[in-house]
Amino acid sequence: MSAHPQSFEILIVPAPDEGRDPAELPRVAVRAAVVRATGELGASGFPRYAGDGLEADIDPATPAVEALLVDGAELDYGLVARVR
């Protein structure tokens, strides 16, 4: 059994999001997806999660998105990913 969480919800929100109330993030998200552990490590060295068109390397200790592909492409400029 893995010590890492098996799933996360990722919210894609407009930047800047510093200082924004975390409870507001779901309301302003342009996309949300639940990603599940793949059992692999990503190029960043963190566990890889995938689902609903997203592939993410997530640091389970913080939890921060360290790398992200959205429908196979990098995240568009002006958007940021947050774990909820």
Side-chain angles (χ1 to χ4, degrees):
M1 178 173 251
S2 172
H4 302 300
Q6 293 303 297
S7 66
F8 287 103
E9 182 179 26
I10 296 178
L11 302 173
I12 308 294
V13 298
D17 71 328
E18 294 84 18
R20 183 177 283 158
D21 180 358
E24 182 182 314
L25 293 180
R27 187 181 62 76
V28 299
V30 296
R31 186 162 176 179
V34 174
V35 293
R36 299 193 190 316
T38 66
E40 301 173 354
L41 292 180
S44 68
F46 291 102
R48 169 72 47 98
Y49 293 80
D52 296 328
L54 287 120
E55 291 182 41
D57 297 357
I58 299 175
D59 177 352
T62 51
V65 177
E66 299 295 338
L68 178 70
L69 292 176
V70 178
D71 298 327
E74 292 183 9
L75 190 61
D76 288 339
Y77 183 77
L79 297 174
V80 294
R82 295 292 176 247
V83 173
R84 181 169 87 137

